[in-house]
């Protein structure tokens, strides 16, 4: 998916225009993942489309709020990239119902509320034992290692930090939810 565009919004209080908030030069590129669910006996033959990105899409834009643009653009861009876009990276998905709620109830016994619930299909249990001969990362020839595990970029767990140690032993267990086995 590649998309470009602009968007602007005027902020009014009564009959006074307080200013314009705008997003310009929006450019987004990413690989979409489409999942068709709840097959039905009439076109389009499925009732729900779930959309996600395979990995976080590239997004660039210029932001202007009340004629400010420099510092606020970086702040808004960081928030959008780190918070908003992560919500659309697999295994996070946006369900798009293709029918009204009555039709969904008739064909699939689903309400709009049910669409947002994605139960885990399983769990991954991880036992972190130790590491040997790690590379030194500071000037004194030491490291402060830790391990981060994640599944699909959503559920994330971090081990404890082993201060000043090139041969750490953790002996820690973690459990991560697997939302989609496919």
């Amino acid at each position: 998916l590649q998309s470009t565009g602009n968007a602007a919004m005027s902020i009014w209080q009564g009959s006074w225009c307080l200013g314009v908030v705008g997003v310009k030069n929006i450019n987004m590129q990413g690989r979409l993942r489409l999942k068709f669910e709840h097959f039905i006996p009439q076109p389009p033959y499925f009732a729900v489309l779930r959309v996600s990105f395979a990995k976080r899409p590239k997004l660039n834009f210029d932001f202007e709020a009340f004629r400010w643009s420099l510092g606020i653009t970086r702040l808004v861009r960081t928030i959008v990239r780190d918070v908003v876009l992560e919500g659309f990276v697999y295994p996070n998905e946006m369900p798009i119902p293709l029918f009204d709620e009555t039709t969904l109830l008739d064909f699939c016994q689903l309400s709009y509320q049910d669409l947002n619930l994605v139960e885990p299909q399983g769990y991954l249990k991880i036992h972190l034992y130790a590491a040997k001969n790690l590379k030194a990362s500071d000037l004194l020839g030491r490291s402060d290692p830790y391990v981060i595990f994640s599944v699909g970029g959503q559920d994330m767990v971090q081990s404890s930090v082993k201060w000043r140690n090139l041969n750490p032993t953790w002996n820690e267990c973690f459990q991560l939810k697997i939302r989609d086995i496919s």
Side-chain angles (χ1 to χ4, degrees):
L1 169 72
Q2 182 168 347
S3 180
T4 57
N6 297 321
M9 176 176 63
S10 299
I11 308 294
W12 291 81
Q13 181 175 0
S15 61
W16 294 87
C17 180
L18 300 176
V20 176
V21 175
V23 181
K24 299 178 182 177
N25 304 319
I26 304 165
N27 186 355
M28 184 166 77
Q29 296 177 341
R31 179 178 283 167
L32 274 180
R33 181 177 192 271
L34 303 175
K35 187 174 172 184
F36 307 101
E37 289 185 344
H38 305 289
F39 294 100
I40 57 174
Q42 70 181 45
Y45 301 108
F46 57 94
V48 178
L49 175 64
R50 288 190 182 270
V51 179
S52 62
F53 286 96
K55 61 182 182 179
R56 187 165 50 185
K58 293 178 184 176
L59 176 68
N60 203 357
F61 59 87
D62 297 322
F63 182 79
E64 187 177 281
F66 307 105
R67 306 211 190 279
W68 311 329
S69 60
L70 295 175
I72 196 106
T73 294
R74 272 185 248 121
L75 175 64
V76 170
R77 189 180 291 141
T78 299
I79 291 169
V80 169
R81 283 183 182 156
D82 295 347
V83 177
V84 177
L85 287 181
E86 276 304 316
F88 296 103
V89 176
Y90 182 77
N92 297 326
E93 299 171 326
M94 180 174 66
I96 301 172
L98 301 178
F99 296 96
D100 60 67
E101 191 165 16
T102 304
T103 306
L104 279 178
L105 282 169
D106 289 345
F107 279 123
C108 311
Q109 291 74 49
L110 283 175
S111 69
Y112 282 168
Q113 207 170 18
D114 296 332
L115 295 178
N116 293 318
L117 304 175
V118 179
E119 293 296 320
Q121 292 184 353
Y123 294 90
L124 175 64
K125 186 172 183 176
I126 302 167
H127 193 140
L128 174 61
Y129 292 104
K132 293 183 182 178
N133 303 320
L134 295 176
K135 189 185 255 185
S137 64
D138 65 18
L139 296 175
L140 301 174
R142 302 181 197 155
S143 285
D144 301 326
Y146 61 92
V147 178
I148 296 175
F149 296 104
S150 71
V151 174
Q154 182 183 15
D155 294 323
M156 193 179 319
V157 293
Q158 179 179 320
S159 71
S160 60
V161 177
K162 299 300 180 181
W163 302 101
R164 297 179 292 280
N165 194 336
L166 298 178
N167 297 294
T169 301
W170 284 277
N171 204 22
E172 297 176 17
C173 288
F174 305 95
Q175 184 169 300
L176 292 170
K177 295 175 185 173
I178 305 295
R179 293 195 180 346
D180 187 354
I181 296 175
S182 61

